[in-house]
Amino acid sequence: METFFWILSLLGAFSIMEFMAWFTHKYIMHGFLWYLHEDHHKKDHDSWFERNDLFFFFYAFLSVSFVILWGQGFWLGLPIAIGIGLYGLAYFIVHDIFIHQRFKIFRNIDNKYARGIRRAHKIHHKNIK
């Protein structure tokens, strides 16, 4: 039974991260921290890195915090940390690799669903702040 709750907690954390990503993006990145996110929309630099990449550290800190809590006896800490980490990995693969092609893999994926995802994201980038 404990394994069931462990897996449920991991999946719950992963799912909650989708809401957190939407909320953070809409109200924080396009709000008071726009100066960090803006270079993701307007390429005004030659670097491969963006100021926007700093948001990674917030979620990494959050995940590490739950690992520390797990180490102090909070048994849900590890599945929550893994759920947050897996969401970050999935986000990185879909957003940075597939959509923005920061690494030149998944470039030849060409089907109706893939084109729809890329088109929707392109529309978001045209609608700045």
Side-chain angles (χ1 to χ4, degrees), residues 2 7 26 48 68 89 91 111 120:
E2 187 175 307
I7 292 169
K26 182 170 182 159
W48 184 82
I68 292 168
L89 178 62
Y91 182 89
N111 60 52

Side-chain angles (χ1 to χ4, degrees), residues 39 43 45-53 102:
D39 71 339
K43 297 291 183 211
H45 55 82
D46 293 329
S47 176
W48 184 82
F49 291 101
E50 302 173 345
R51 289 182 307 275
N52 183 66
D53 294 334
R102 288 178 80 176

